[in-house]
């Protein structure tokens, strides 16, 4: 049986992979989930010890210093440096231990900002990743993740390593990071709506509610990572996103959260907070060509599942 080591194994996508493989085992493979308690990947020594201990045949690299808009705006240095270090050590160790495959995680938020590049048009596709600067709110994270694409292709070319990269759009789901400082928009809205339900206060969405986003359910991301490990071997990144027609405003996603909770008062919008990037519509054409049968969980149903998880697991949620 081959061993696939999943870094960031107890984060949102790691948890989702655990759920999928416990229900539908992948023949011939066993998954080992590791996190910062096993090794701090910012240290090469610690990363080497982890590889010596686990001796993986393959790696799915999900560990990252990651967060929503407001964390990105305040912690550019850490997000650049920690991600560069972790990614560097994982790539080096995968080569030193001659793993059969490394799947790394990018994000569609690292692609160029439309208003800053003459070479970009919507929808954004995989070929445009380096065609202009990212949105200024998340430069640190974006440049570190862009290097993951560059490095993966270099290792592939020079050392014939089978390194691939996947770029999901905004992920959410069970076991998300629901903290006030670091969370992405959906878990933040779930936490806030739950609190408003319990204390009778308002449900306040930050910013104008007008920005547009595509969202992907973590269980769908997990299925796609497993599929990509087994079937996607191309040097270029692959965007993981529902169709462009599934793009919604932040106000709409707030309403989905309110509906899932049965919160019936009007949503409030606090425009003191930044809106961040207005829109970054991506194309999923390449994914649908490579995996035509894949079915995404419809967004309102996925939001309901995330809300139900939060209600049922409030005591152990990452707050
Ligand atoms: P992004 O998609 O990379 O910009 O990151 P986020 O997942 O943090 O989403 C940011 C968008 O959601 C911005 O338009 C915010 O104004 C909006 N938003 C509304 N309320 C919240 C909130 O409580 N937390 C976060 N992170 N974003 C919020």
């Amino acid at each position: 049986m081959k061993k696939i080591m999943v870094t960031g194994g107890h984060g949102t996508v790691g948890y989702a992979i655990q759920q999928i493989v416990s229900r539908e085992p992948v023949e011939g493979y066993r998954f080992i989930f590791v996190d910062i308690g096993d090794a701090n990947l910012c240290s090469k020594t610690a990363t080497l010890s982890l590889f010596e201990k686990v001796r993986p045949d393959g790696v799915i690299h999900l560990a990252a210093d990651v967060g929503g808009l407001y964390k990105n705006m305040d912690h550019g240095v850490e997000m650049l440096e920690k991600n560069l270090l972790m990614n560097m050590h994982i790539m080096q160790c995968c080569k030193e231990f001659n793993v059969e495959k490394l799947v790394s995680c990018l994000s569609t938020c690292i692609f160029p900002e439309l208003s800053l590049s003459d070479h970009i048009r919507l929808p954004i596709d995989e070929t445009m990743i380096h065609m202009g600067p990212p949105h200024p709110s998340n430069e640190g994270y974006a440049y570190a993740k862009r290097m993951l694409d560059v490095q993966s292709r270099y290792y592939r070319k020079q050392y014939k390593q089978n390194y691939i990269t996947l770029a999901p759009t905004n992920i959410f789901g069970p076991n998300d990071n629901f903290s006030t400082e670091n969370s992405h928009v959906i878990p933040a809205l779930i936490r806030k709506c739950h609190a408003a339900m319990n204390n009778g206060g308002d449900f306040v969405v930050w910013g104008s509610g007008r920005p547009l986003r595509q969202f992907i359910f973590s269980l769908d991301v997990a299925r796609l990572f497993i599929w990509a490990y087994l079937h996607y071997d191309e040097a270029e990144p692959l965007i993981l996103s529902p169709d462009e027609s599934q793009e919604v405003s932040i106000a709409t996603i707030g309403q989905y959260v309110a509906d899932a909770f049965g919160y019936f008062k009007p949503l409030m919008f606090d425009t003191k907070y930044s809106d961040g990037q207005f829109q970054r519509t991506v194309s999923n054409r390449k994914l649908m060509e490579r995996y035509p049968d894949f079915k995404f969980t419809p967004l309102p149903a996925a939001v309901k599942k995330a809300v139900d998880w939060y209600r049922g697991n409030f005591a152990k949620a990452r707050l």
Side-chain angles (χ1 to χ4, degrees), residues 9-316:
H10 300 109
T12 315
V13 179
Y15 177 81
I17 295 179
Q18 289 182 40
Q19 303 294 303
I20 302 278
V21 299
S22 68
R23 290 200 296 254
E24 304 157 27
V26 182
E27 209 185 322
Y29 290 93
R30 176 157 82 82
F31 289 74
I32 293 149
F33 298 89
V34 298
D35 69 7
I36 191 151
D38 300 289
N40 180 352
L41 304 179
C42 290
S43 151
K44 175 78 187 269
T45 317
T47 311
L48 269 173
S49 309
L50 178 69
F51 273 71
E52 262 150 24
K53 192 168 142 213
V54 177
R55 301 234 153 233
D57 296 288
V59 173
I60 294 181
H61 176 41
L62 303 173
D65 190 20
V66 60
L69 167 65
Y70 304 103
K71 176 176 175 181
N72 269 287
M73 286 167 64
D74 294 340
H75 297 282
V77 172
E78 290 76 18
M79 297 188 81
L80 177 69
E81 292 186 356
K82 285 191 189 167
N83 286 310
L84 283 173
L85 282 169
M86 284 191 255
N87 299 342
M88 176 99 73
H89 298 150
I90 286 290
M91 300 242 166
Q92 291 172 345
C93 287
C94 281
K95 175 180 167 285
E96 285 165 36
F97 284 75
N98 200 24
V99 304
E100 66 176 16
K101 188 150 180 178
L102 168 63
V103 181
S104 297
C105 190
L106 310 176
S107 162
T108 59
C109 72
I110 72 171
F111 282 72
E113 157 60 23
L114 182 66
S115 62
L116 298 178
S117 170
D118 294 336
H119 307 289
I120 296 300
R121 44 160 184 72
L122 299 182
I124 291 167
D125 68 31
E126 289 83 354
T127 63
M128 300 178 194
I129 184 166
H130 301 290
M131 287 185 178
H135 191 269
S137 60
N138 74 342
E139 272 187 306
Y141 181 77
Y143 279 117
K145 286 283 185 180
R146 284 186 187 191
M147 282 308 111
L148 196 44
D149 162 57
V150 173
Q151 256 178 307
S152 287
R153 287 186 286 105
Y154 269 47
Y155 271 89
R156 173 179 283 276
K157 193 165 160 222
Q158 189 172 334
Y159 295 118
K160 311 285 173 266
Q161 300 286 313
N162 190 3
Y163 288 3
I164 66 161
T165 54
L166 305 176
T169 187
N170 289 40
I171 302 169
F172 71 98
N175 197 40
D176 220 320
N177 180 342
F178 294 91
S179 72
T180 314
E181 303 78 33
N182 297 343
S183 55
H184 283 93
V185 57
I186 293 187
L189 295 181
I190 290 176
R191 173 178 41 75
K192 291 199 276 192
C193 191
H194 183 252
M197 294 282 288
N198 286 341
N199 62 24
D202 287 328
F203 174 26
V204 183
V205 178
W206 289 352
S208 68
R210 287 191 303 111
L212 299 167
R213 296 287 185 272
Q214 286 152 295
F215 292 96
I216 185 167
F217 189 43
S218 58
L219 276 291
D220 291 350
V221 180
R223 285 184 197 285
L224 287 168
F225 265 75
I226 295 166
W227 164 81
Y229 187 96
L230 300 172
H231 302 293
Y232 184 76
D233 290 316
E234 298 171 37
E236 295 73 30
L238 181 66
I239 288 174
L240 310 181
S241 173
D243 188 69
E244 292 148 56
S245 64
Q246 302 305 306
E247 188 173 51
V248 292
S249 71
I250 298 296
T252 300
I253 208 72
Q255 196 56 55
Y256 288 163
V257 171
D259 292 346
F261 273 108
Y263 176 91
F264 297 119
K265 288 200 292 179
L267 276 56
M268 310 295 276
F269 294 91
D270 188 343
T271 51
K272 278 199 310 295
Y273 288 91
S274 164
D275 268 346
Q277 192 168 23
F278 180 70
Q279 184 175 16
R280 51 167 174 261
T281 322
V282 291
S283 162
N284 72 357
R285 217 177 87 191
K286 184 171 166 190
L287 173 65
M288 289 296 110
E289 277 169 13
R290 303 297 188 277
Y291 193 174
D293 294 336
F294 189 75
K295 298 274 178 292
F296 289 91
T297 310
L299 189 52
V303 169
K304 180 82 171 73
K305 283 177 199 262
V307 165
D308 288 347
W309 185 90
Y310 187 74
R311 280 174 145 162
N313 297 275
F314 182 64
K316 65 170 187 190

